[in-house]
Amino acid sequence: MTGQESAAGGSEHAAASVVFRDVTKRYRGAEADAVEHLSLDVPAGEICVLVGPSGCGKTTAMRMVNRTVEITSGDIEVGGTSVTERSPAQLRREIGYVIQQIGLFPHRTIAQNIATVPALIGWDRERTRARVRELLELISLPADVADRYPAQLSGGQQQRVGVARALAADPPVMLMDEPFGAIDPINRERLQNEFLRLQAEIRKTILFVTHDIDEAIKMGDRIAVLREGGRLAQFATPAELLMDPADDFVEDFVGADRALKRLALMRVSDIDLWEAPLAFAGQDTAEVRAKLAGAEVPWALLVDSDRRPIGWLSDRDLAAATVPHRPDSSPDPVLDRDDVLRDALSDLLQSQTHYAPVVDASGAAVGVLSLDVISDFLASDQAKVEEHPATARPHD
Ligand SMILES: Nc1ncnc2c1ncn2[C@@H]1O[C@H](COP(=O)(O)OP(=O)(O)OP(=O)(O)O)[C@@H](O)[C@H]1O
Ligand SMILES: [Mg+2]
């Protein structure tokens, strides 16, 4: 087949890129620019987070995309054409917008709220009703909330309805201004995770505003850090931002614990693991003792015939002539190669041992993670950032 296939997942509108070209905004009567010479290139299907202190121009930058704020100079292109070539009314229909503070219409039902844009563009009742049903399912709300009013929903549920409303006409671009700002931390994390799952399905181009750097790192494919006057301090991926902040402002904003934050972005499989001598039940312990001399990990790991960890061998285990079937200590915690490194670290810290076997999808041991491996990694990372050599010791 050589023809173009239609987009999967019922999404009829492909995502569009958003490009800021040297965009400046000065509000009438203001003495300074709210946004100054901002250039950004957001590829289709990515989440670009705008982050920075209050008043730095995040909302202004976002609102120029759908022309709820007019550009003073420069240009913004959505899907390759200038927003100035479309009317503000048209743009507001084409671009989903989740405003700061949710902004559901209080005297309209949830279904009517979600159907705002479909009603504007004249969808018939059946199509609209089907879309509302589909969106409620997408945001994991029961169908019976459709006839309730916003005040009859929790804050988190209202927030999800706000997202559904912005998605209703399947726009190629979404603007989300502090969409989870008003939610308590626990529900906020749930909504963030839910939204990332949703985005993996719908692949919209999203401009996402927050003043919370942790949220930015979690949600963004790319992050634009803005400073006073809407000036761009750095535009980079989360990892680049954490590893290599462009200046003192970004470094302060990203925070001192960025090495730890970086661990949240990495998987166990991203770092060089150590090797432990492997032992099999019934094997001559003399062989195992010989392998232990000079090994990276000073303990032998008993594995089954599929290399699945059974436990660590103690000195007493190794004093016998042959390796026992059931060793003194369990292998726990056993980590997965796909585990997030920060979670792996907390598992290690909570357990008694310094070493944890790492297994692949089949459960077979592929290496060992230890606190030392992680601190070596952090030290070398620090070395990159601060330009002094690491002095990590492999054994304590
Ligand atoms: N309609 C307006 N008229 C005049 N000045 C405005 C207007 N809206 C915003 N400003 C000013 O422009 C600057 C940027 O405001 P903006 O709302 O874009 O900031 P923000 O980064 O979104 O802040 P916050 O994090 O508090 O939401 C501020 O100095 C603000 O006072
Ligand atoms: Mg704002």
Side-chain angles (χ1 to χ4, degrees):
M1 269 180 64
T2 54
Q4 290 201 330
E5 317 225 356
S6 66
S11 173
E12 39 190 271
H13 298 136
S17 61
V18 176
V19 181
F20 283 68
R21 289 194 203 289
D22 206 21
V23 175
T24 293
K25 173 66 189 182
R26 177 164 309 193
Y27 286 104
R28 195 174 309 134
E31 308 218 317
D33 296 333
V35 170
E36 194 182 282
H37 300 293
L38 180 62
S39 293
L40 288 177
D41 199 332
V42 186
E46 286 199 359
I47 300 181
C48 171
V49 177
L50 303 176
V51 66
S54 183
C56 72
K58 303 180 294 295
T59 297
T60 301
M62 175 172 276
R63 295 183 67 179
M64 285 189 283
V65 177
N66 66 3
R67 293 184 63 190
T68 43
V69 166
E70 288 296 341
I71 300 169
T72 305
S73 69
D75 196 12
I76 298 175
E77 289 174 8
V78 173
T81 53
S82 169
V83 294
T84 61
E85 285 168 25
R86 279 165 274 186
S87 72
Q90 189 182 352
L91 284 166
R92 274 161 237 163
R93 279 183 254 125
E94 284 178 13
I95 298 174
Y97 189 18
V98 183
I99 61 173
Q100 214 164 345
Q101 303 306 330
I102 313 178
L104 296 180
F105 304 118
H107 303 302
R108 290 180 174 189
T109 64
I110 300 306
Q112 289 166 337
N113 265 283
I114 293 175
T116 303
V117 171
L120 268 173
I121 57 183
W123 285 16
D124 63 45
R125 279 177 63 151
E126 207 32 61
R127 187 179 178 194
T128 303
R129 207 179 328 187
R131 183 65 177 153
V132 168
R133 249 195 328 265
E134 182 183 32
L135 284 164
L136 284 173
E137 204 180 303
L138 198 65
I139 59 170
S140 314
L141 285 184
D144 65 22
V145 305
D147 298 324
R148 287 197 228 160
Y149 291 88
Q152 297 169 311
L153 267 56
S154 75
Q157 290 171 330
Q158 290 181 40
Q159 197 66 66
R160 283 185 269 175
V161 173
V163 172
R165 184 175 62 178
L167 280 170
D170 200 13
V173 174
M174 298 254 288
L175 307 177
M176 305 180 74
D177 197 347
E178 309 225 19
F180 311 136
I183 310 289
D184 65 275
I186 292 169
N187 281 308
R188 182 181 234 219
E189 196 175 327
R190 272 229 310 271
L191 280 171
Q192 289 169 343
N193 294 340
E194 231 170 64
F195 189 74
L196 286 174
R197 266 199 301 279
L198 188 63
Q199 166 66 355
E201 236 173 84
I202 61 181
R203 290 262 158 233
K204 299 291 178 193
T205 310
I206 296 168
L207 257 61
F208 187 111
V209 164
T210 179
H211 57 263
D212 174 357
I213 186 68
D214 292 311
E215 183 167 72
I217 287 166
K218 179 168 182 182
M219 304 301 286
D221 295 304
R222 264 163 235 269
I223 299 173
V225 183
L226 298 179
R227 59 199 302 169
E228 283 289 289
R231 277 173 295 144
L232 187 62
Q234 189 165 6
F235 186 46
T237 63
E240 282 165 357
L241 205 67
L242 293 170
M243 262 189 301
D244 199 9
D247 58 22
D248 290 349
F249 172 80
V250 177
E251 186 162 353
D252 279 354
F253 196 74
V254 169
D257 58 342
R258 66 174 186 277
L260 279 178
K261 284 182 182 139
R262 230 196 125 202
L263 293 181
L265 292 169
M266 304 193 61
R267 308 267 161 186
V268 171
S269 56
D270 289 331
I271 65 176
D272 288 331
L273 300 174
W274 282 359
E275 276 180 32
L278 296 185
F280 299 89
Q283 188 182 9
D284 196 338
T285 53
E287 279 174 34
V288 180
R289 285 196 303 270
K291 279 204 271 182
L292 273 173
E296 276 180 316
V297 177
W299 302 99
L301 183 64
L302 176 64
V303 294
D304 70 10
S305 56
D306 293 323
R307 291 173 65 105
R308 286 186 295 235
I310 298 169
W312 295 101
L313 296 177
S314 67
D315 289 341
R316 203 177 62 190
D317 289 330
L318 287 175
T322 58
V323 173
H325 287 264
R326 303 191 60 198
D328 271 346
S329 56
S330 91
D332 295 336
V334 176
L335 304 172
D336 197 283
R337 292 183 76 231
D338 290 333
D339 284 347
V340 171
L341 206 46
R342 192 167 63 182
D343 298 342
L345 172 62
S346 92
D347 285 349
L348 269 172
L349 291 173
Q350 276 169 39
S351 72
Q352 308 288 355
T353 73
H354 278 217
Y355 303 98
V358 175
V359 297
D360 64 16
S362 74
V366 293
V368 170
L369 187 70
S370 72
L371 293 180
D372 294 322
V373 172
I374 295 177
S375 72
D376 279 6
F377 167 75
L378 287 177
S380 64
D381 182 41
Q382 229 91 56
K384 247 183 266 157
V385 174
E386 289 163 24
E387 293 177 54
H388 64 69
T391 54
R393 301 158 128 241
H395 301 280
D396 53 0

